[in-house]
Amino acid sequence: MRFARQDLVVLLAAVFTLAFASLAAAQIPGPLAGSIFGSGQRALVVVLHGDLSNGRDATYHRSFAEDIARRHGDVTAVALIRPGYSGGRGLQSAGSNSNRRDHYTRANNDLVAESIRALQRATGARRVIVVGHSGGAAQVGAIIGRFPQLVDSAVLVSCPCDIGRWRSMRGRSAWQNSESPSQFASRVSRSTRVIAVVGANDSNTAPALSQDYVAALQARGVPAGMMLVRGASHDFNGSLRSAALSAVEAEIQR
């Protein structure tokens, strides 16, 4: 059977779309589970959830990834499930979250980095944008320091960017095994854009944690900035979610 050039292009596009549709319902490339939305190559947007202290499934970031793909047809968005967490629908990521304690470890961060790298290779995306909320932001912040060429833009929402200080500010015992973004600030590439988004009323991850981390990056010439969202707290909804979406969309347009 012979195809006209136009028919062949349409056929290949359909195959590519079907392949990513099947990935959305199955294990994604790399060691971690998640859901894929869209199939564009302009940018890969990877979204990581927070710690989910009540133990529920990690699902709240899925609609955020889906919104990005719906609004930008040239983007692939992934709701990644962090190590040791489940995401419902039979999705379970490798690694351990140590019952959601002291789990921003080197081994877990390696799993996240490996998944981001595998997703970029599978999608062929020209740019990689990673969004993390709360504990997810802590992991992203450490990863961009340890793997300086992996991520083009990092959006850190409600970031506990200095783990030791964060635990102390909350009157909690120190975590001995977790990697802190502040620990690797001196190694973040000057080609990586970093945007910290935090609620002015956040009593969990105080704005000062993001502010001081951004200042440390700026002092080294890293293009970093901060969005302080008035009236917003720690929860990833309302104006905080909207601000994070705006930050991501600005990075997609670059």
Coordinates of all heavy atoms in Angstrom, one line a residue, residues 119-171:
L119 N 12.2 10.7 30.5 CA 11.1 11.4 29.9 C 11.6 12.3 28.8 O 11.0 12.4 27.7 CB 10.3 12.1 30.9 CG 9.4 11.3 31.8 CD1 9.0 12.0 33.1 CD2 8.2 10.8 31.1
Q120 N 12.6 13.0 29.0 CA 13.1 13.9 28.0 C 13.6 13.2 26.8 O 13.3 13.6 25.6 CB 14.3 14.8 28.6 CG 14.7 16.0 27.7 CD 15.6 15.6 26.5 OE1 16.4 14.6 26.6 NE2 15.4 16.3 25.4
R121 N 14.3 12.1 27.0 CA 14.7 11.2 25.9 C 13.5 10.7 25.1 O 13.5 10.6 23.9 CB 15.6 10.1 26.4 CG 17.0 10.6 26.8 CD 17.7 9.5 27.5 NE 19.1 9.9 27.9 CZ 19.9 9.2 28.7 NH1 19.5 8.0 29.2 NH2 21.1 9.6 29.0
A122 N 12.5 10.2 25.8 CA 11.3 9.6 25.2 C 10.5 10.6 24.4 O 10.0 10.3 23.4 CB 10.5 8.9 26.2
T123 N 10.4 11.8 24.9 CA 9.6 12.8 24.3 C 10.3 13.6 23.2 O 9.7 14.2 22.3 CB 9.0 13.8 25.3 OG1 10.1 14.5 26.0 CG2 8.1 13.1 26.3
G124 N 11.6 13.7 23.4 CA 12.4 14.5 22.5 C 12.2 16.0 22.7 O 12.4 16.8 21.8
A125 N 11.7 16.4 23.9 CA 11.4 17.8 24.2 C 12.6 18.7 24.1 O 13.7 18.3 24.5 CB 10.7 17.9 25.5
R126 N 12.5 19.9 23.6 CA 13.6 20.8 23.4 C 14.0 21.5 24.8 O 15.1 21.9 24.9 CB 13.3 21.8 22.4 CG 13.1 21.2 21.0 CD 12.9 22.3 19.9 NE 11.6 22.9 20.0 CZ 10.5 22.4 19.4 NH1 10.6 21.2 18.8 NH2 9.4 23.1 19.5
R127 N 13.0 21.6 25.7 CA 13.3 22.2 27.0 C 12.6 21.4 28.1 O 11.6 20.8 27.9 CB 12.8 23.7 27.0 CG 13.5 24.6 26.0 CD 13.0 26.1 26.2 NE 13.5 26.6 27.5 CZ 12.7 27.0 28.5 NH1 11.4 26.9 28.4 NH2 13.3 27.5 29.6
V128 N 13.2 21.4 29.3 CA 12.7 20.7 30.4 C 12.4 21.7 31.5 O 13.3 22.4 32.0 CB 13.7 19.6 30.9 CG1 13.2 19.0 32.2 CG2 14.0 18.6 29.8
I129 N 11.1 21.7 31.9 CA 10.6 22.6 33.0 C 10.1 21.7 34.1 O 9.3 20.8 33.8 CB 9.5 23.5 32.5 CG1 10.0 24.4 31.3 CG2 9.0 24.4 33.6 CD1 8.9 25.1 30.6
V130 N 10.6 21.8 35.3 CA 10.2 21.0 36.4 C 9.5 21.8 37.5 O 10.1 22.8 37.9 CB 11.3 20.1 37.0 CG1 10.8 19.2 38.0 CG2 12.0 19.4 35.9
V131 N 8.4 21.4 37.9 CA 7.6 22.1 39.0 C 7.5 21.2 40.2 O 7.2 20.0 40.1 CB 6.2 22.4 38.5 CG1 5.5 23.3 39.5 CG2 6.2 23.1 37.1
G132 N 7.9 21.7 41.4 CA 7.7 21.0 42.6 C 7.0 21.8 43.6 O 7.2 23.0 43.8
H133 N 6.1 21.1 44.3 CA 5.4 21.7 45.4 C 5.8 21.2 46.8 O 5.9 19.9 46.9 CB 3.9 21.5 45.3 CG 3.1 22.1 46.5 ND1 2.2 21.3 47.2 CD2 3.0 23.3 47.1 CE1 1.7 22.0 48.2 NE2 2.1 23.2 48.1
S134 N 6.2 22.0 47.7 CA 6.6 21.6 49.1 C 7.7 20.6 49.0 O 8.8 20.9 48.6 CB 5.3 21.1 49.8 OG 5.6 21.0 51.2
G135 N 7.5 19.4 49.5 CA 8.6 18.4 49.5 C 9.1 18.1 48.1 O 10.3 17.8 47.9
G136 N 8.2 18.2 47.1 CA 8.6 18.1 45.7 C 9.5 19.2 45.3 O 10.5 19.0 44.5
A137 N 9.3 20.4 45.8 CA 10.2 21.5 45.5 C 11.5 21.3 46.1 O 12.6 21.7 45.5 CB 9.6 22.8 46.0
A138 N 11.6 20.7 47.3 CA 12.8 20.5 48.0 C 13.7 19.5 47.1 O 14.9 19.7 47.0 CB 12.6 19.9 49.4
Q139 N 13.0 18.5 46.6 CA 13.7 17.5 45.8 C 14.2 18.2 44.5 O 15.4 18.0 44.0 CB 12.9 16.3 45.5 CG 12.6 15.5 46.7 CD 12.1 14.1 46.4 OE1 10.9 13.9 46.3 NE2 13.0 13.1 46.3
V140 N 13.4 19.0 43.8 CA 13.8 19.7 42.6 C 15.0 20.6 42.9 O 15.9 20.6 42.1 CB 12.6 20.4 42.0 CG1 13.1 21.2 40.8 CG2 11.5 19.5 41.6
G141 N 14.9 21.3 44.0 CA 16.0 22.2 44.3 C 17.3 21.5 44.5 O 18.4 22.1 44.1
A142 N 17.3 20.4 45.1 CA 18.6 19.6 45.3 C 19.0 19.0 43.9 O 20.2 19.0 43.6 CB 18.3 18.5 46.3
I143 N 18.1 18.6 43.1 CA 18.4 18.0 41.8 C 19.1 19.0 40.9 O 20.0 18.6 40.2 CB 17.1 17.4 41.2 CG1 16.8 16.1 41.9 CG2 17.3 17.1 39.7 CD1 15.4 15.6 41.6
I144 N 18.6 20.2 40.8 CA 19.2 21.2 39.9 C 20.6 21.5 40.3 O 21.4 22.0 39.4 CB 18.3 22.4 39.7 CG1 18.1 23.2 41.0 CG2 17.0 22.1 39.1 CD1 17.4 24.5 40.9
G145 N 21.0 21.3 41.5 CA 22.3 21.5 42.0 C 23.2 20.3 41.7 O 24.3 20.5 41.2
R146 N 22.7 19.2 41.9 CA 23.5 17.9 41.7 C 23.6 17.5 40.2 O 24.5 16.9 39.8 CB 22.8 16.8 42.5 CG 23.0 16.9 44.0 CD 22.6 15.7 44.7 NE 23.2 14.5 44.1 CZ 22.6 13.3 43.9 NH1 21.3 13.2 44.3 NH2 23.2 12.3 43.4
F147 N 22.6 17.9 39.4 CA 22.6 17.6 38.0 C 22.4 18.9 37.2 O 21.3 19.1 36.7 CB 21.4 16.6 37.7 CG 21.5 15.3 38.5 CD1 20.8 15.2 39.7 CD2 22.3 14.2 38.1 CE1 20.9 14.0 40.4 CE2 22.4 13.1 38.8 CZ 21.6 13.0 40.0
P148 N 23.4 19.7 37.1 CA 23.3 21.1 36.6 C 22.7 21.2 35.2 O 22.2 22.3 34.8 CB 24.7 21.6 36.7 CG 25.4 20.8 37.7 CD 24.8 19.4 37.6
Q149 N 22.9 20.2 34.3 CA 22.5 20.3 32.9 C 21.1 19.6 32.7 O 20.7 19.6 31.5 CB 23.5 19.7 32.0 CG 24.9 20.3 32.2 CD 24.9 21.8 32.0 OE1 24.3 22.4 31.2 NE2 25.6 22.5 32.9
L150 N 20.5 19.1 33.7 CA 19.3 18.3 33.5 C 18.0 19.2 33.2 O 17.2 18.8 32.4 CB 19.0 17.5 34.7 CG 17.8 16.5 34.7 CD1 18.0 15.5 33.6 CD2 17.7 15.8 36.1
V151 N 17.9 20.3 33.9 CA 16.6 21.1 33.9 C 16.9 22.5 33.4 O 17.9 23.2 33.8 CB 16.1 21.2 35.3 CG1 14.8 22.1 35.4 CG2 15.7 19.8 35.8
D152 N 16.1 23.0 32.5 CA 16.2 24.3 32.0 C 15.5 25.4 32.9 O 16.1 26.5 33.1 CB 15.6 24.4 30.6 CG 16.3 23.5 29.6 OD1 17.5 23.8 29.3 OD2 15.7 22.6 29.1
S153 N 14.4 25.0 33.4 CA 13.7 25.9 34.3 C 13.1 25.1 35.5 O 12.5 24.1 35.3 CB 12.5 26.7 33.6 OG 13.0 27.4 32.5
A154 N 13.2 25.7 36.7 CA 12.7 25.0 37.9 C 11.7 26.0 38.6 O 12.1 27.2 38.8 CB 13.8 24.6 38.8
V155 N 10.5 25.6 38.8 CA 9.5 26.4 39.5 C 9.3 25.7 40.9 O 8.7 24.6 41.0 CB 8.2 26.5 38.7 CG1 7.1 27.3 39.5 CG2 8.4 27.1 37.4
L156 N 9.7 26.4 41.9 CA 9.7 25.8 43.3 C 8.6 26.5 44.1 O 8.7 27.6 44.4 CB 11.0 26.0 44.0 CG 12.3 25.6 43.2 CD1 13.6 25.9 44.0 CD2 12.2 24.1 42.8
V157 N 7.5 25.7 44.3 CA 6.3 26.2 45.0 C 6.4 25.8 46.4 O 6.5 24.6 46.8 CB 5.0 25.7 44.3 CG1 3.8 26.4 44.9 CG2 5.1 26.0 42.8
S158 N 6.3 26.8 47.3 CA 6.2 26.5 48.8 C 7.4 25.7 49.2 O 7.3 24.6 49.8 CB 4.9 25.8 49.2 OG 3.8 26.5 48.7
C159 N 8.6 26.1 48.9 CA 9.8 25.3 49.0 C 10.4 25.4 50.4 O 10.7 26.5 50.9 CB 10.9 25.8 48.0 SG 12.4 24.9 48.0
P160 N 10.7 24.3 51.1 CA 11.5 24.2 52.3 C 13.0 24.2 51.9 O 13.7 23.2 52.1 CB 11.1 22.9 53.0 CG 10.7 22.0 51.8 CD 10.2 22.9 50.7
C161 N 13.5 25.3 51.3 CA 14.7 25.3 50.6 C 16.0 25.1 51.5 O 17.0 24.9 51.0 CB 14.8 26.6 49.8 SG 13.7 26.7 48.4
D162 N 15.8 25.3 52.8 CA 16.9 25.0 53.7 C 16.2 24.0 54.7 O 15.5 24.4 55.7 CB 17.3 26.3 54.4 CG 18.5 26.0 55.4 OD1 18.6 24.9 55.9 OD2 19.3 27.0 55.6
I163 N 16.5 22.7 54.5 CA 15.8 21.7 55.3 C 16.1 21.8 56.8 O 15.1 21.7 57.6 CB 16.2 20.3 54.8 CG1 15.9 20.1 53.3 CG2 15.5 19.2 55.6 CD1 14.4 20.3 53.0
G164 N 17.3 22.1 57.2 CA 17.6 22.2 58.6 C 16.9 23.4 59.2 O 16.3 23.2 60.3
R165 N 16.9 24.5 58.6 CA 16.2 25.7 59.1 C 14.7 25.5 59.1 O 14.0 25.9 60.0 CB 16.6 26.9 58.2 CG 16.1 28.2 58.7 CD 16.6 29.3 57.8 NE 16.0 30.6 58.0 CZ 16.0 31.6 57.1 NH1 16.6 31.4 56.0 NH2 15.4 32.7 57.4
W166 N 14.2 24.9 58.1 CA 12.8 24.6 58.0 C 12.3 23.8 59.2 O 11.3 24.1 59.8 CB 12.5 23.9 56.7 CG 11.1 23.3 56.5 CD1 9.9 24.0 56.6 CD2 10.8 22.0 56.3 NE1 8.8 23.2 56.4 CE2 9.3 21.9 56.2 CE3 11.5 20.8 56.1 CZ2 8.7 20.7 55.9 CZ3 10.8 19.6 55.8 CH2 9.4 19.6 55.8
R167 N 13.0 22.7 59.5 CA 12.6 21.8 60.6 C 12.7 22.6 61.9 O 11.9 22.5 62.7 CB 13.6 20.6 60.6 CG 13.4 19.7 59.4 CD 12.2 18.9 59.4 NE 12.0 18.0 60.5 CZ 11.0 17.2 60.7 NH1 9.9 17.4 60.0 NH2 10.9 16.4 61.7
S168 N 13.8 23.4 62.1 CA 14.0 24.1 63.3 C 12.8 25.2 63.5 O 12.3 25.4 64.6 CB 15.3 24.8 63.3 OG 15.5 25.6 64.4
M169 N 12.5 25.9 62.4 CA 11.4 26.9 62.4 C 10.1 26.3 62.9 O 9.2 27.0 63.5 CB 11.3 27.6 61.1 CG 12.4 28.5 60.7 SD 12.4 29.1 59.0 CE 11.0 30.3 59.2
R170 N 9.9 25.0 62.6 CA 8.6 24.4 62.9 C 8.7 23.6 64.2 O 7.8 22.9 64.6 CB 8.2 23.4 61.8 CG 8.1 24.1 60.4 CD 7.4 23.2 59.4 NE 6.1 22.9 59.7 CZ 5.4 21.8 59.4 NH1 6.1 20.8 58.9 NH2 4.2 21.6 59.8
G171 N 9.9 23.7 64.9 CA 10.0 23.1 66.2 C 10.1 21.6 66.1 O 9.8 20.8 67.0

